[in-house]
Amino acid sequence: VPHIGWNQLKINSKNNQNILNGVETNDYFYFVHSYMGVLGDDNDLLASSNYEGLDIVAGMRKENIIGLQFHPEKSGEKGLRIIQNFIDLKI
């Protein structure tokens, strides 16, 4: 089932990297996808989102690779904050 629209993030407080500075659990972000990633290591989880009762990976980081399942460029002020965090990131 395609996941299209606004949904809340649940931040993984154990792995809150700089990329999510200024973002809080329950902030909304825009998703457009019909697939989901599965992590090999739960320590790589940055954030998840609940879609139709299923917790999906919304953000992950493995060493110097960061992936987001949502579209920060379409997610308003909080999304722009994440883009700025990317620019400021020192990996």
Side-chain angles (χ1 to χ4, degrees):
V1 176
H3 181 190
I4 301 172
W6 294 89
N7 208 343
Q8 294 173 298
L9 287 188
K10 179 180 176 188
I11 305 298
N12 179 7
S13 61
K14 295 177 184 175
N15 192 13
N16 189 1
Q17 301 288 331
N18 295 339
I19 196 67
L20 297 179
N21 283 349
V23 176
E24 299 176 15
T25 288
N26 296 326
D27 284 346
Y28 281 88
F29 290 86
Y30 192 75
F31 290 79
V32 179
H33 63 90
S34 58
Y35 59 90
M36 67 178 216
V38 177
L39 295 177
D41 185 345
D42 289 339
N43 292 319
D44 298 334
L45 181 69
L46 294 176
S48 62
S49 185
N50 188 286
Y51 179 66
E52 294 193 357
L54 182 64
D55 283 331
I56 62 168
V57 175
M60 60 76 60
R61 180 173 184 169
K62 178 75 173 181
E63 298 172 10
N64 67 339
I65 299 170
I66 297 171
L68 302 174
Q69 186 71 28
F70 56 91
H71 290 264
E73 77 282 4
K74 296 181 181 271
S75 296
E77 193 173 310
K78 293 289 183 168
L80 293 176
R81 175 69 180 165
I82 289 176
I83 292 170
Q84 186 62 54
N85 291 343
F86 268 117
I87 292 168
D88 296 340
L89 196 61
K90 293 176 178 66
I91 296 179

